[in-house]
Amino acid sequence: MNDPVFILFVLGINVVAAELLARHTAAKHLGATLLVMIITAVVANLGVIPTSTSEAPIYDGILHYVTPLAIFWLLLRVNLRDVLKAGLPMIGLFLIGSVGTAVGVLAAMWLVDGSESIGQSYRAIGGVFVGTYTGGGVNFNALALHYGVNKQVGIFGGITAVDNILTTVWMAATIALPKLLMRIWPTARFGNATVEADHAQQAIDASTDDSETVHPMNLGFLLAIGAGSLWISELAAAWLKSSLDISIPSIVILTTIALVFAQIPFIQRQNGSQVLGLFAMYIFLAAIAALCDVAALREMGRLGVTLFVFASLVIAIHAAITFAAAAIFRIDVSVAAIASQANIGGATTALGVAKSLNRRDLVLPAVLVGSLGYAVGTYLGFFVAEFLR
């Protein structure tokens, strides 16, 4: 069924199911964010809803409009003083993770003998994965277009499926790892040093935010400033590119507008921003999970297996370098997990991990380093692709 109304129906039901499971069953340890992704991935691969944007253009609409609105609304409650505690360590880990991705691609390409097992496109594919595992899907598409990978339908479908599947898997890992490692992780020198003491209060605050009492006037106001800010940010990005030849992603401009609004008391008093933001984030993550097309990999046979092994090795090497650096410098494990997710999945998935870990102080740093990845990832991807030459 590729009817957009039916797809929205299914995504909505998945959100409800995830929330019910997270509140009333043993699955609460997974969290609603992860459950939304698992349920939607299963439903999509059972054939209930499509697993590609070509069959369901509504996914593109969600990624283009719902994703930035989720970021905008969730940033309206940001306390800038908290950012100073976690911002610099996260930026440092993010940059280390970016280097780890590049090293991972070079090592993994050698381990799978990419020139033989993948073929002539191995350099371009290496660059694409550096881009997407440094800052997310924006860089994936930029590098795929530059090297013409998008015109190789079979390979492009395969690397898209691999990217979506492993991004979902790694998001699950970055949600689970801090909870597993918290008791044995070195005492934090950086980030929020009182993280364990603050966790209980943050969990209470998060649950309160997620169940606000909202008036239609609040919703109308938040929709207006969200849509208006998105419109202005896209116009500004286009004008800067055409008139001044300055490339600034519209999400960076939107983030800046949201931060300005977040400091205005009248806007801070508006209920509903966290409810709207969380729901929009659930829908975005459900759309990402729906694109985890396992059948596409099976159809590629040996090449599909090679691409999956290659990308898994890249993430494993990236993770080893990132978390080792965090342990050496005694940086909070939650900061490491979110920085890593910002590399692998981009700003919105990093934000989702921050929310799942009940770390409101890390929401803005997650978005900021994810936005940094848009700039760093494309250039690093080009460098590695040419180095592989």
Coordinates of all heavy atoms in Angstrom, one line a residue, residues 21-76:
L21 N 3.9 0.4 24.7 CA 4.9 -0.6 25.1 C 5.9 0.0 26.1 O 6.3 -0.6 27.0 CB 5.6 -1.1 23.9 CG 4.7 -2.0 23.0 CD1 5.5 -2.3 21.7 CD2 4.4 -3.3 23.7
A22 N 6.3 1.3 25.8 CA 7.3 1.9 26.7 C 6.7 2.3 28.0 O 7.5 2.4 29.0 CB 7.8 3.2 26.0
R23 N 5.4 2.4 28.1 CA 4.8 2.8 29.4 C 4.3 1.7 30.3 O 4.3 1.7 31.5 CB 3.6 3.8 29.2 CG 4.0 5.1 28.6 CD 2.9 6.0 28.5 NE 3.2 7.3 27.8 CZ 2.4 8.4 27.8 NH1 1.2 8.3 28.4 NH2 2.8 9.5 27.2
H24 N 3.9 0.6 29.6 CA 3.2 -0.5 30.3 C 3.8 -1.9 30.2 O 3.2 -2.8 30.7 CB 1.7 -0.5 29.8 CG 1.0 0.8 29.9 ND1 0.8 1.4 31.1 CD2 0.5 1.6 29.0 CE1 0.1 2.5 30.9 NE2 0.0 2.7 29.6
T25 N 4.9 -2.0 29.6 CA 5.5 -3.4 29.4 C 7.0 -3.3 29.8 O 7.6 -2.3 30.0 CB 5.3 -3.9 28.0 OG1 6.2 -3.2 27.1 CG2 3.9 -3.8 27.5
A26 N 7.6 -4.5 29.8 CA 9.0 -4.6 30.0 C 9.9 -4.0 28.9 O 11.1 -3.7 29.1 CB 9.4 -6.1 30.1
A27 N 9.2 -3.7 27.8 CA 10.0 -3.0 26.7 C 10.3 -1.5 27.0 O 11.0 -0.9 26.3 CB 9.1 -3.0 25.4
K28 N 9.8 -1.1 28.2 CA 10.1 0.3 28.6 C 11.6 0.6 28.7 O 12.1 1.7 28.5 CB 9.5 0.6 29.9 CG 10.0 -0.2 31.1 CD 9.2 0.2 32.4 CE 9.7 -0.7 33.6 NZ 9.0 -0.4 34.8
H29 N 12.4 -0.5 28.9 CA 13.9 -0.3 29.0 C 14.5 0.1 27.6 O 15.6 0.6 27.5 CB 14.5 -1.6 29.5 CG 14.1 -2.0 30.8 ND1 14.4 -1.2 32.0 CD2 13.3 -3.0 31.3 CE1 13.8 -1.8 33.0 NE2 13.2 -2.9 32.7
L30 N 13.7 -0.3 26.5 CA 14.2 0.1 25.2 C 13.9 1.6 24.9 O 14.6 2.3 24.2 CB 13.6 -0.8 24.1 CG 13.9 -2.3 24.2 CD1 13.1 -3.0 23.1 CD2 15.4 -2.5 24.0
G31 N 12.8 2.1 25.4 CA 12.4 3.5 25.2 C 11.5 3.6 24.0 O 11.6 2.8 23.0
A32 N 10.6 4.6 24.0 CA 9.7 4.8 22.9 C 10.4 5.1 21.6 O 9.9 4.6 20.5 CB 8.7 5.9 23.2
T33 N 11.4 5.9 21.6 CA 12.2 6.2 20.4 C 12.6 5.0 19.6 O 12.4 4.9 18.4 CB 13.4 7.1 20.7 OG1 12.9 8.3 21.4 CG2 14.1 7.6 19.5
L34 N 13.3 4.1 20.3 CA 13.8 2.9 19.7 C 12.7 2.0 19.2 O 12.7 1.4 18.2 CB 14.8 2.2 20.6 CG 15.5 0.9 20.1 CD1 16.2 1.2 18.8 CD2 16.4 0.4 21.1
L35 N 11.6 1.9 20.0 CA 10.5 1.0 19.7 C 9.8 1.5 18.4 O 9.4 0.7 17.6 CB 9.5 1.0 20.9 CG 10.0 0.2 22.1 CD1 9.1 0.4 23.3 CD2 10.1 -1.3 21.8
V36 N 9.7 2.8 18.3 CA 9.1 3.3 17.0 C 9.8 2.8 15.8 O 9.2 2.4 14.8 CB 9.0 4.9 17.1 CG1 8.7 5.4 15.7 CG2 8.0 5.4 18.0
M37 N 11.2 2.9 15.9 CA 12.0 2.5 14.8 C 11.9 1.0 14.5 O 11.8 0.5 13.4 CB 13.4 2.9 15.0 CG 13.6 4.4 15.1 SD 15.3 5.0 15.3 CE 15.8 4.8 13.6
I38 N 11.9 0.2 15.6 CA 11.9 -1.3 15.4 C 10.5 -1.7 14.8 O 10.5 -2.5 13.9 CB 12.1 -2.0 16.8 CG1 13.5 -1.7 17.3 CG2 11.8 -3.5 16.7 CD1 13.8 -2.2 18.7
I39 N 9.4 -1.2 15.4 CA 8.1 -1.6 14.9 C 7.9 -1.2 13.4 O 7.5 -2.0 12.6 CB 7.0 -0.9 15.8 CG1 7.0 -1.4 17.2 CG2 5.6 -1.1 15.2 CD1 6.2 -0.7 18.2
T40 N 8.4 0.0 13.1 CA 8.2 0.5 11.7 C 9.0 -0.3 10.7 O 8.6 -0.6 9.6 CB 8.5 2.0 11.6 OG1 7.7 2.7 12.5 CG2 8.1 2.5 10.2
A41 N 10.3 -0.6 11.1 CA 11.2 -1.4 10.3 C 10.5 -2.8 10.0 O 10.6 -3.3 8.9 CB 12.5 -1.6 10.9
V42 N 10.0 -3.4 11.0 CA 9.4 -4.7 10.9 C 8.1 -4.6 10.0 O 8.0 -5.4 9.0 CB 9.0 -5.3 12.3 CG1 8.1 -6.6 12.1 CG2 10.2 -5.6 13.1
V43 N 7.3 -3.7 10.2 CA 6.1 -3.5 9.4 C 6.4 -3.2 8.0 O 5.8 -3.8 7.1 CB 5.2 -2.3 10.0 CG1 4.1 -1.9 9.1 CG2 4.6 -2.7 11.4
A44 N 7.4 -2.4 7.7 CA 7.8 -2.1 6.3 C 8.3 -3.3 5.6 O 8.0 -3.6 4.5 CB 8.8 -0.9 6.3
N45 N 9.2 -4.1 6.3 CA 9.8 -5.2 5.6 C 8.8 -6.4 5.5 O 9.0 -7.3 4.8 CB 11.0 -5.7 6.4 CG 12.2 -4.8 6.0 OD1 12.9 -5.0 5.0 ND2 12.5 -3.8 6.9
L46 N 7.7 -6.3 6.2 CA 6.6 -7.3 6.0 C 5.7 -6.9 4.8 O 4.8 -7.6 4.5 CB 5.7 -7.4 7.3 CG 6.4 -8.2 8.5 CD1 5.5 -8.1 9.7 CD2 6.7 -9.6 8.1
G47 N 6.0 -5.7 4.3 CA 5.2 -5.3 3.1 C 4.0 -4.5 3.4 O 3.2 -4.2 2.4
V48 N 3.8 -4.1 4.6 CA 2.6 -3.3 4.9 C 2.6 -1.9 4.3 O 1.7 -1.4 3.8 CB 2.3 -3.3 6.5 CG1 1.1 -2.4 6.8 CG2 2.2 -4.7 7.0
I49 N 3.8 -1.3 4.4 CA 4.1 0.0 3.8 C 5.3 -0.1 3.0 O 6.2 -1.0 3.2 CB 4.2 1.1 4.9 CG1 5.3 0.8 5.9 CG2 2.9 1.4 5.6 CD1 5.5 1.9 6.9
P50 N 5.5 0.8 2.0 CA 6.7 0.7 1.1 C 8.0 0.9 1.9 O 8.0 1.5 3.0 CB 6.5 1.9 0.1 CG 5.0 2.1 0.2 CD 4.6 1.9 1.6
T51 N 9.1 0.5 1.3 CA 10.4 0.7 1.8 C 11.3 1.5 1.0 O 12.6 1.5 1.1 CB 11.1 -0.7 2.0 OG1 11.1 -1.4 0.8 CG2 10.4 -1.6 3.1
S52 N 10.7 2.3 0.1 CA 11.5 3.2 -0.7 C 10.8 4.5 -1.0 O 9.5 4.5 -1.1 CB 11.9 2.5 -2.1 OG 10.8 2.4 -2.9
T53 N 11.5 5.6 -1.2 CA 10.9 6.9 -1.5 C 10.3 6.9 -2.9 O 9.4 7.7 -3.2 CB 11.9 8.0 -1.4 OG1 13.0 7.7 -2.2 CG2 12.4 8.1 0.1
S54 N 10.8 6.1 -3.8 CA 10.2 6.0 -5.2 C 8.8 5.5 -5.1 O 7.9 6.0 -5.9 CB 11.1 5.2 -6.1 OG 11.1 3.8 -5.6
E55 N 8.5 4.6 -4.2 CA 7.1 4.1 -4.1 C 6.3 5.0 -3.2 O 5.0 5.0 -3.3 CB 7.2 2.7 -3.5 CG 7.9 1.6 -4.4 CD 7.9 0.3 -3.7 OE1 6.8 -0.3 -3.4 OE2 9.0 -0.2 -3.3
A56 N 6.9 5.7 -2.3 CA 6.2 6.5 -1.4 C 6.9 7.9 -1.2 O 7.7 8.1 -0.3 CB 6.1 5.8 0.0
P57 N 6.6 8.8 -2.1 CA 7.2 10.2 -2.0 C 6.9 10.9 -0.7 O 7.6 11.8 -0.4 CB 6.5 10.9 -3.2 CG 6.1 9.8 -4.1 CD 5.7 8.7 -3.3
I58 N 5.9 10.4 0.0 CA 5.6 11.1 1.3 C 6.8 11.0 2.3 O 7.0 11.9 3.1 CB 4.4 10.4 2.0 CG1 3.9 11.3 3.2 CG2 4.6 9.0 2.4 CD1 2.6 10.8 3.8
Y59 N 7.6 10.0 2.1 CA 8.8 9.9 3.0 C 9.7 11.1 2.7 O 10.3 11.7 3.6 CB 9.6 8.6 2.7 CG 8.9 7.4 3.1 CD1 9.0 6.2 2.4 CD2 8.1 7.3 4.2 CE1 8.4 5.0 2.7 CE2 7.5 6.2 4.6 CZ 7.6 5.0 3.9 OH 7.0 3.8 4.2
D60 N 9.9 11.5 1.4 CA 10.7 12.7 1.1 C 10.1 14.0 1.8 O 10.8 14.8 2.3 CB 10.8 12.9 -0.4 CG 11.8 12.0 -1.1 OD1 12.7 11.6 -0.4 OD2 11.5 11.6 -2.2
G61 N 8.7 14.0 1.8 CA 8.1 15.2 2.4 C 8.3 15.2 3.9 O 8.6 16.3 4.4
I62 N 8.3 14.0 4.5 CA 8.6 14.0 5.9 C 10.1 14.4 6.2 O 10.3 15.2 7.1 CB 8.4 12.6 6.5 CG1 6.9 12.2 6.5 CG2 9.0 12.4 7.9 CD1 6.6 10.8 6.8
L63 N 11.0 13.9 5.4 CA 12.4 14.3 5.6 C 12.7 15.8 5.4 O 13.5 16.4 6.0 CB 13.3 13.4 4.7 CG 13.2 11.9 5.0 CD1 14.2 11.2 4.0 CD2 13.6 11.6 6.4
H64 N 11.9 16.3 4.4 CA 12.2 17.7 4.1 C 11.5 18.7 5.0 O 12.1 19.8 5.3 CB 11.7 18.0 2.6 CG 12.0 19.4 2.1 ND1 13.3 19.7 1.7 CD2 11.3 20.5 2.0 CE1 13.3 21.0 1.4 NE2 12.1 21.5 1.5
Y65 N 10.3 18.4 5.5 CA 9.5 19.4 6.3 C 9.4 19.0 7.8 O 9.6 19.8 8.6 CB 8.1 19.5 5.7 CG 8.1 20.1 4.3 CD1 7.8 19.3 3.2 CD2 8.4 21.4 4.1 CE1 7.7 19.9 1.9 CE2 8.4 22.0 2.8 CZ 8.1 21.2 1.7 OH 8.0 21.7 0.5
V66 N 9.1 17.7 8.0 CA 8.9 17.3 9.4 C 10.2 17.4 10.2 O 10.2 17.8 11.4 CB 8.2 15.9 9.5 CG1 8.1 15.5 10.9 CG2 6.9 16.0 8.8
T67 N 11.3 16.9 9.6 CA 12.6 16.8 10.3 C 13.0 18.2 10.8 O 13.3 18.3 12.0 CB 13.6 16.2 9.4 OG1 13.2 14.9 9.0 CG2 15.0 16.1 10.1
P68 N 13.1 19.2 10.0 CA 13.6 20.5 10.5 C 12.6 21.1 11.5 O 13.1 21.8 12.5 CB 13.7 21.4 9.3 CG 12.9 20.7 8.2 CD 13.0 19.3 8.5
L69 N 11.3 20.8 11.4 CA 10.4 21.4 12.4 C 10.6 20.7 13.7 O 10.4 21.3 14.8 CB 8.9 21.1 11.9 CG 8.5 22.1 10.8 CD1 7.1 21.7 10.2 CD2 8.4 23.5 11.3
A70 N 10.9 19.4 13.7 CA 11.2 18.7 15.0 C 12.3 19.3 15.7 O 12.3 19.6 16.9 CB 11.5 17.2 14.7
I71 N 13.4 19.6 15.0 CA 14.6 20.3 15.5 C 14.2 21.7 16.1 O 14.5 22.0 17.2 CB 15.7 20.4 14.5 CG1 16.2 19.0 14.1 CG2 16.8 21.3 15.0 CD1 17.3 19.0 13.0
F72 N 13.4 22.4 15.3 CA 13.1 23.8 15.7 C 12.3 23.8 17.0 O 12.6 24.5 18.0 CB 12.2 24.4 14.6 CG 11.8 25.8 14.9 CD1 12.6 26.9 14.7 CD2 10.5 26.0 15.5 CE1 12.1 28.2 15.0 CE2 10.1 27.3 15.8 CZ 10.9 28.4 15.6
W73 N 11.2 22.9 17.1 CA 10.4 22.9 18.3 C 11.1 22.4 19.5 O 10.9 23.0 20.6 CB 9.1 22.1 18.0 CG 8.2 22.7 17.1 CD1 7.8 24.1 17.1 CD2 7.3 22.1 16.1 NE1 6.9 24.3 16.1 CE2 6.5 23.1 15.5 CE3 7.2 20.8 15.7 CZ2 5.6 22.8 14.5 CZ3 6.3 20.5 14.7 CH2 5.5 21.5 14.1
L74 N 12.0 21.4 19.3 CA 12.7 20.9 20.5 C 13.7 21.9 21.0 O 14.1 21.8 22.2 CB 13.3 19.5 20.2 CG 12.3 18.4 20.0 CD1 13.0 17.1 19.4 CD2 11.7 18.0 21.3
L75 N 14.2 22.7 20.2 CA 15.2 23.7 20.6 C 14.6 24.9 21.4 O 15.4 25.7 21.9 CB 16.0 24.2 19.4 CG 17.0 23.3 18.8 CD1 17.7 23.9 17.6 CD2 18.1 22.8 19.8
L76 N 13.3 25.0 21.4 CA 12.7 26.2 22.0 C 12.8 26.2 23.5 O 12.4 27.2 24.1 CB 11.2 26.3 21.6 CG 11.0 26.7 20.1 CD1 9.5 26.8 19.8 CD2 11.7 28.0 19.7

